[in-house]
């Protein structure tokens, strides 16, 4: 294919992953993948294609130096091809709240929803359970994400709780099941992608049905016209283009939560866990694990900035020709957790022997990531092994050894970089 077309944004394609612009979405995608380029209109934010049918696109790490991930640069994850792609497809959109444990039924247009319910705004990180799955050793099946299956955004919407109160929920209900009829299975007999929430989580005041993302209508790829936002929990629950909320006494069997999106019991520290089936060895994934990511290095003397990732998000572990003895180096990154709040980010420049606390430079509520920075002086020639480690307010911290699990979830191993001076 003609790679020069991808250089328009001033970016160089170095290795691996195929890059394309956000404007190349929808019907043009197949042409891009097979190599024509006429669909490229705005190559400001190329995304990394992990799979093209269904679309699974990853955000390049350099984008994360922006506190809010721009909508055009936001990662995209679909389980099954076959979803509505254009806003016109949603002309007859309604949200339906129903089910055996709902006292009445409701069907609301977007306008009715906005007019009749109070709206709230919050910032929350949307992170795929399988972010960094591609780094698992031994390897596991699934989309081979590196570091960019996540984004931080401001969400505006109505509270799920207010809608549930509006229809009235039998207190004996177990919870809700949510899905989108705009994203049906393409092969007959395949299970619909649907997600359960226990009632206690569905009634959490932070769970929103969002219609704005960073102040704008969201792209159909990210859930237009309405998506569920479950702050602190992995994005698998954040159903896009949500059409149905079923209030249930029992969760109907479904592959996407009885089999997929499960973690082994007892292996991960978590507060909000959900033991759906006490006899099973595993349980549904819930909270995002505490984590951090180095985004860039700045040499304060030369003013040079280095993003230590290839454009397919492969980490560049060895950094050479960037610093000289006497230089001050700032390392900048992000840190986040499942909503308890980041307490400290510590940076080591000697391979983990000693740690210094980084400065938190920006935060926006407990469900948002934080930006942090740490400046150190490279005194003399040698290798400086730089690591960052986040700890949250309930004492959870990152691991040094991978907690391997068959689906490749919750990778939060401390990264390290060798800075050769
Ligand atoms: N309708 C629908 N919603 C969905 C999914 C899906 O396949 N279909 N995937 C979920 C998963 S696993 C993730 S990681 C997020 C991804 O959100 P994004 O595409 O906006 O980045 O959407 C969630 N919501
Ligand atoms: Mo996901």
């Amino acid at each position: 294919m003609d790679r020069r077309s991808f250089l328009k944004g001033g970016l160089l394609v170095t290795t691996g992953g195929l890059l394309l612009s956000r404007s190349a979405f929808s019907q043009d995608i197949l042409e891009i993948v097979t190599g024509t380029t006429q669909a490229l209109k705005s190559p400001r934010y190329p995304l990394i294609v992990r799979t093209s049918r269904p679309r699974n696109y990853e955000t390049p790490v350099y984008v994360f130096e922006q506190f809010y991930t721009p909508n055009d640069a936001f990662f995209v994850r679909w389980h099954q091809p076959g979803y509505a792609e254009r806003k016109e497809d949603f002309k007859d959109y309604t949200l339906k709240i129903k089910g055996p444990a709902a006292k009445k039924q409701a069907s609301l247009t977007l306008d009715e929803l906005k007019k009749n319910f109070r709206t709230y705004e919050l910032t929350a990180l949307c992170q795929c359970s399988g972010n960094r799955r591609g780094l698992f050793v031994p390897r596991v099946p699934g989309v081979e994400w590196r570091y960019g299956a996540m984004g931080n955004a401001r969400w505006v919407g109505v509270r799920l709780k207010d809608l549930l109160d509006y229809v009235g929920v039998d207190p004996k209900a177990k919870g809700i099941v949510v899905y989108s009829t705009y994203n049906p299975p393409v092969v007959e007999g395949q299970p619909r992608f649907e997600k359960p929430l226990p009632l206690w989580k569905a009634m959490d005041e932070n769970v929103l049905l969002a219609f704005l993302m960073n102040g704008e209508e969201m792209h159909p790829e990210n859930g237009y016209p309405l998506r569920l936002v479950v702050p602190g929990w992995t994005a698998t629950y954040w159903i896009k283009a949500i059409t149905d909320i079923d209030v249930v006494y029992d969760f109907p069997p479904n592959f996407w939560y009885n089999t997929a999106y499960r973690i082994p019991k007892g292996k991960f520290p978590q507060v909000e866990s959900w033991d759906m089936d006490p006899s099973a060895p595993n349980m549904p994934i819930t909270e995002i694990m505490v984590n951090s990511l180095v985004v860039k290095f700045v040499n304060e003397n030369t003013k040079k900035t280095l993003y230590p990732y290839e454009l397919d998000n492969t980490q560049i572990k060895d950094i050479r020709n960037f610093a000289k003895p006497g230089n001050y180096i700032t390392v900048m990154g992000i840190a986040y957790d499942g909503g308890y709040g980041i307490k400290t980010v510590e940076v080591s420049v000697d391979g983990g022997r000693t740690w210094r606390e980084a400065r938190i430079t920006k935060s926006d509520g407990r469900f948002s990531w934080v930006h942090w920075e740490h400046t150190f002086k490279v005194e003399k020639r040698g290798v400086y092994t730089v690591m960052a480690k986040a700890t949250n307010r309930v004492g959870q911290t990152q691991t040094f050894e991978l907690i391997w699990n068959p689906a490749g979830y919750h990778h939060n191993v401390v990264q390290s970089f060798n800075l050769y001076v």
Side-chain angles (χ1 to χ4, degrees):
M1 62 172 291
D2 176 11
R3 292 215 146 176
R4 271 169 307 169
S5 55
F6 296 117
L7 304 179
K8 285 183 196 157
L11 295 162
L12 201 69
V13 178
T14 47
T15 153
L18 172 65
L19 303 169
L20 85 166
S21 85
R22 186 53 182 265
S23 62
F25 280 163
S26 70
Q27 65 274 35
D28 299 324
I29 179 68
L30 290 175
E31 291 160 25
I32 296 290
V33 169
T34 54
T36 65
T37 55
Q38 71 269 25
L40 284 175
K41 291 185 192 92
S42 163
R44 197 156 68 102
Y45 288 120
L47 296 174
I48 301 158
V49 177
R50 294 290 173 222
T51 68
S52 50
R53 193 182 142 82
R55 290 173 203 157
N56 285 295
Y57 299 167
E58 177 170 339
T59 303
V61 172
Y62 70 84
V63 171
F64 301 150
E65 80 180 307
Q66 299 176 71
F67 192 78
Y68 300 103
T69 310
N71 294 10
D72 280 349
F74 215 84
F75 84 104
V76 173
R77 201 270 181 266
W78 291 102
H79 289 76
Q80 295 160 328
Y83 33 81
E85 297 177 9
R86 285 164 297 267
K87 290 189 176 173
E88 307 89 84
D89 298 337
F90 294 92
K91 276 196 310 289
D92 303 320
Y93 176 84
T94 56
L95 175 69
K96 289 159 281 291
I97 308 145
K98 57 193 199 298
K103 290 187 182 146
K104 64 175 194 223
Q105 318 229 330
S107 173
L108 299 156
T109 64
L110 205 55
D111 280 342
E112 288 167 337
L113 198 75
K114 291 179 189 169
K115 233 183 276 146
N116 296 315
F117 295 89
R118 240 188 105 175
T119 57
Y120 297 85
E121 169 163 358
L122 59 75
T123 297
L125 170 75
C126 176
Q127 184 190 232
C128 180
S129 318
N131 193 23
R132 308 192 190 182
R133 178 186 292 122
L135 310 178
F136 267 62
V137 182
R139 284 167 68 144
V140 294
V143 179
E144 300 246 332
W145 303 111
R146 293 205 181 104
Y147 301 94
M150 63 173 171
N152 198 43
R154 289 182 293 121
W155 308 96
V156 170
V158 302
R159 279 183 177 156
L160 174 60
K161 174 185 191 306
D162 290 349
L163 290 182
L164 294 174
D165 286 342
Y166 170 71
V167 294
V169 169
D170 185 331
K172 289 197 293 291
K174 269 227 182 96
I176 60 169
V177 172
V178 288
Y179 52 91
S180 172
T181 51
Y182 288 92
N183 177 210
V186 277
V187 178
E188 231 192 78
Q190 262 187 358
R192 174 172 60 206
F193 186 75
E194 61 179 44
K195 282 286 149 172
L197 278 181
L199 193 60
W200 53 267
K201 191 62 180 177
M203 295 304 259
D204 182 321
E205 63 178 22
N206 294 302
V207 177
L208 299 182
L209 291 151
F211 49 83
L212 294 181
M213 175 176 176
N214 293 323
E216 291 168 11
E217 278 182 352
M218 58 199 89
H219 195 288
E221 293 286 7
N222 297 113
Y224 177 88
L226 195 69
R227 91 174 291 173
L228 193 61
V229 169
V230 188
W233 283 26
T234 68
T236 189
Y237 295 99
W238 299 40
I239 291 289
K240 301 190 277 189
I242 183 171
T243 53
D244 290 74
I245 300 172
D246 292 354
V247 190
V248 296
Y249 291 111
D250 279 300
F251 297 109
N254 182 289
F255 169 82
W256 295 108
Y257 48 88
N258 292 119
T259 306
Y261 288 99
R262 287 194 159 237
I263 53 170
K265 286 181 190 172
K267 277 210 172 181
F268 295 99
Q270 48 184 11
V271 179
E272 287 192 354
S273 60
W274 178 25
D275 196 354
M276 198 184 204
D277 169 10
S279 66
N282 51 30
M283 60 183 178
I285 193 167
T286 53
E287 294 173 337
I288 294 169
M289 291 292 116
V290 62
N291 214 341
S292 70
L293 184 72
V294 170
V295 173
K296 66 178 179 182
F297 290 85
V298 178
N299 185 321
E300 302 292 350
N301 298 88
T302 63
K303 298 290 167 208
K304 264 201 284 185
T305 298
L306 181 124
Y307 300 91
Y309 302 86
E310 308 276 3
L311 285 179
D312 68 349
N313 279 357
T314 303
Q315 189 201 352
I316 299 169
K317 210 172 153 62
D318 294 314
I319 300 168
R320 295 169 203 275
N321 304 320
F322 182 68
K324 291 205 169 85
N327 287 169
Y328 286 88
I329 307 297
T330 298
V331 49
M332 176 267 162
I334 57 177
Y336 52 87
D337 77 328
Y340 302 98
I342 291 299
K343 180 150 175 272
T344 54
V345 178
E346 292 162 286
V347 175
S348 173
V349 301
D350 56 12
R353 273 195 297 280
T354 60
W355 296 87
R356 288 293 183 81
E357 201 168 318
R359 307 181 289 283
I360 305 290
T361 55
K362 189 166 167 65
S363 56
D364 186 9
R366 63 193 176 98
F367 300 111
S368 167
W369 66 31
V370 301
H371 269 181
W372 54 266
E373 279 180 21
H374 176 69
T375 305
F376 61 99
K377 188 179 182 186
V378 291
E379 300 281 359
K380 51 181 199 296
R381 294 198 176 279
V383 191
Y384 292 77
T385 298
V386 178
M387 300 170 137
K389 180 178 64 147
T391 304
N392 70 3
R393 294 188 189 281
V394 294
Q396 298 164 344
T397 191
Q398 292 179 244
T399 58
F400 288 88
E401 295 274 324
L402 178 66
I403 302 174
W404 191 92
N405 60 97
Y409 299 141
H410 283 336
H411 185 299
N412 69 343
V413 178
V414 169
Q415 284 175 287
S416 73
F417 299 86
N418 299 319
L419 178 66
Y420 289 83
V421 180

